Amino acid sequence: TTPAPAALSARGRISRAPSAPRGTPSGRRAMCAPVRASYRRDNVVESVFEYTQLSLDTSLGISLHDITPQVRRAIRESGVTNGTVNVLSRHTTTAVTINEAEGRLMDDIRQYMLKLAPPGDPYLHNDIHLRDGPPDWPGGNDAWRAQEPRNAHSHLLSILIGNTLAVPVVDGELAIGTWQSLMLVELDGPRKRTVGVQVCGTRMGGEPKRVDTSESSSNAASKSYQKKTSPVSDGYKDPMDALCEDDPSADECKVFD
C-alpha cells in the first residue's frame, strides 16, 4: 500500500531516480560511487619507524651537548608529519634531557651534578681491585683493571637524569617550547658517544589530484566503479536492477536524496 502524502512528508522528502541507460548502476548503488568529488587524494598514509644514530665527541668530565638540530634533521629526512621521536642515551654514563642550552646555565648544571654525586666519595663500584672483568678480556683481569675508570658517580647521575626522551612531532616539527633543547649529558668524558633517534609516525605519499567533475566524467566514473565491483557479483544479476531499468518510476526504485 502506498503511504499517504502526509506520511511521506513526515518521513522525509522522496524523489524518483532518474532514468539511466543500461549498464549504469541503479540509484541505490550509484549513490556509493565517488563520481562528484572536486578533489581526490590518492595519497597513501604510510607508517614510519626510522632509526638512526648520532655520533659526537664529548668534553672532559661532565658536559652538555645540544643535539636538537640533528634530531630535527632526522625528522625532516624521515618525512614524518605527525608522530613521536624517541631519543635514547646508549651508554650507562650518559643521559638525555630537555632544558635551556644557555652557557652559564649549563655550567650551573655541571656544578650541581658534582654536588649531587661527588666523584671523590667512596663507592663500591670504584673498588676496581675487588671486581673481575669480562672472561675473554685480552690480558685477563689485570689488563682490564688497568683501564677501568672509577666512575660510580657517573652511573648514579645517569639514573637520576634519565636515558630516554619521547617528544611529539606535529606538522613535521618538534613540539618543544621556545627555550627548550634536547641535550646529551656526558657524565664521564671525554668519550666518543652515540645517541639513538627513532622517528615514529605517519607521512603522506603522492600529491592531491584534480578530478574532472563534468557529466561525462561522472558517467565514466560510474562505469569504472561498476567494473571494479564486477568480480564480486560476477555471474549474478540483481533482479532489482532489471526492474528499475525497465520501470524507474516503480516504488521500489525510489531513493531518498
Side-chain angles (χ1 to χ4, degrees), residues 34-152:
V35 299
R36 283 293 186 181
S38 296
Y39 286 90
R40 180 178 71 251
R41 186 172 289 277
D42 286 346
N43 309 39
V44 176
V45 178
E46 301 173 332
S47 295
V48 179
F49 299 89
E50 290 200 3
Y51 178 83
T52 188
Q53 286 187 11
L54 312 180
S55 298
L56 60 159
D57 296 311
T58 62
S59 304
L60 179 66
I62 297 177
S63 58
L64 290 87
H65 304 265
D66 187 355
I67 59 173
T68 310
Q70 295 95 315
V71 174
R72 283 187 168 131
R73 182 166 60 248
I75 294 171
R76 288 195 303 270
E77 291 176 353
S78 74
V80 165
T81 53
N82 291 282
T84 304
V85 59
N86 300 307
V87 181
L88 170 68
S89 161
R90 302 186 67 250
H91 308 278
T92 58
T93 55
T94 62
V96 286
T97 191
I98 296 178
N99 216 295
E100 184 177 356
E102 190 276 321
R104 296 180 68 85
L105 175 61
M106 291 193 285
D107 285 338
D108 290 334
I109 293 172
R110 281 191 288 268
Q111 296 177 30
Y112 184 66
M113 292 294 105
L114 292 173
K115 292 177 182 179
L116 282 179
D121 280 8
Y123 302 102
L124 299 179
H125 180 73
N126 288 350
D127 294 333
I128 306 296
H129 63 288
L130 300 177
R131 295 168 50 198
D132 292 332
D136 56 349
W137 191 270
N141 283 333
D142 289 341
W144 174 80
R145 288 168 182 153
Q147 60 80 47
E148 180 68 4
R150 289 171 170 78
N151 59 0

Side-chain angles (χ1 to χ4, degrees), residues 3-12:
L8 293 177
S9 176
R11 291 172 54 194

Side-chain angles (χ1 to χ4, degrees), residues 21-22 25 71 83 149 152 163 175 183 198 212:
R22 284 190 174 272
V71 174
N163 301 107
M183 294 187 285
Q198 185 181 51
D212 185 1

